[in-house]
Amino acid sequence: HCFSYKIAEQVGGLFDGSNAHRLIMHTREDREEKLEEFKRGVEGKVLISVAMGEGLDLPDDSARWAVVMKMPFPYLGDKVVKARMEAPGGRRWYSMQAARQLQQMVGRHVRGPDDWGKTFILDESFEGFYRRNRDLFLPWFKEGLQAGGFAP
């Protein structure tokens, strides 16, 4: 999960020539086409995606791992977000949005109690955010952190 197309391009650029063929990257125009290409199940392909945190179903062996590059905080430049932040309880609302979106991202490849997958959250702000907002996370998410060796 890349938060922006700029981050997606940077991540894609990290793959050298011998691994570049494994990547499936999309633009705003071909998002659905590239997603379908990934879902057709070509072994060893890596989907580098933007804006696929919700409404995506990758059960069982269709995806066993995901990487979250950056915490999905709402964009502070958005007028609606700014207004909500300035209202009473705005900071709490902001944290709730980020926690909800992160759990949605993790849930794209773990679709039920018998499904499994690993998520790697690379944003260094996650640990502090989680410690401050632990109550915003659902039990399945907290259990997964502990099973993965994260000791909050």
Side-chain angles (χ1 to χ4, degrees), residues 74-87 90 93-94:
Y75 176 54
L76 291 172
D78 182 285
K79 291 177 184 179
V80 173
V81 171
K82 185 177 180 183
R84 290 295 304 256
M85 285 290 290
E86 293 171 355
W93 171 85
Y94 188 77

Side-chain angles (χ1 to χ4, degrees), residues 42-106:
V42 179
E43 183 95 16
K45 292 289 185 179
V46 176
L47 176 65
I48 297 179
S49 65
V50 177
M52 289 195 190
E54 295 180 349
L56 178 61
D57 187 26
L58 297 172
D60 306 316
D61 288 336
S62 62
R64 289 293 181 203
W65 59 272
V67 177
V68 176
M69 300 300 298
K70 184 177 180 314
M71 283 291 296
F73 295 110
Y75 176 54
L76 291 172
D78 182 285
K79 291 177 184 179
V80 173
V81 171
K82 185 177 180 183
R84 290 295 304 256
M85 285 290 290
E86 293 171 355
R91 288 192 182 274
R92 182 70 172 169
W93 171 85
Y94 188 77
S95 295
M96 288 171 56
Q97 299 309 304
R100 181 192 58 78
Q101 183 64 29
L102 180 61
Q103 291 172 98
Q104 283 286 326
M105 289 173 157
V106 171

Side-chain angles (χ1 to χ4, degrees), residues 12-147:
L14 296 174
F15 286 77
D16 63 25
S18 65
N19 288 312
H21 69 281
R22 298 180 64 196
L23 301 182
I24 297 175
M25 297 177 66
H26 66 85
T27 64
R28 287 175 179 86
E29 292 76 30
D30 66 0
R31 178 183 183 273
E32 295 303 317
E33 176 186 321
K34 295 295 185 176
L35 175 58
E36 288 307 313
E37 178 183 339
F38 177 76
K39 288 169 97 174
R40 282 194 290 274
V42 179
E43 183 95 16
K45 292 289 185 179
V46 176
L47 176 65
I48 297 179
S49 65
V50 177
M52 289 195 190
E54 295 180 349
L56 178 61
D57 187 26
L58 297 172
D60 306 316
D61 288 336
S62 62
R64 289 293 181 203
W65 59 272
V67 177
V68 176
M69 300 300 298
K70 184 177 180 314
M71 283 291 296
F73 295 110
Y75 176 54
L76 291 172
D78 182 285
K79 291 177 184 179
V80 173
V81 171
K82 185 177 180 183
R84 290 295 304 256
M85 285 290 290
E86 293 171 355
R91 288 192 182 274
R92 182 70 172 169
W93 171 85
Y94 188 77
S95 295
M96 288 171 56
Q97 299 309 304
R100 181 192 58 78
Q101 183 64 29
L102 180 61
Q103 291 172 98
Q104 283 286 326
M105 289 173 157
V106 171
R108 299 308 87 210
H109 68 285
V110 179
R111 303 302 292 161
D114 296 325
D115 200 356
W116 62 272
K118 290 190 177 202
T119 301
F120 303 91
I121 302 170
L122 302 186
D123 190 331
E124 64 185 21
S125 71
F126 169 71
E127 186 173 352
F129 177 82
Y130 180 77
R131 290 183 195 284
R132 289 186 308 277
N133 298 286
R134 186 180 320 227
D135 62 311
L136 298 178
F137 290 89
L138 297 170
W140 65 264
F141 188 90
K142 294 177 187 179
E143 291 165 11
L145 287 178
Q146 291 169 354

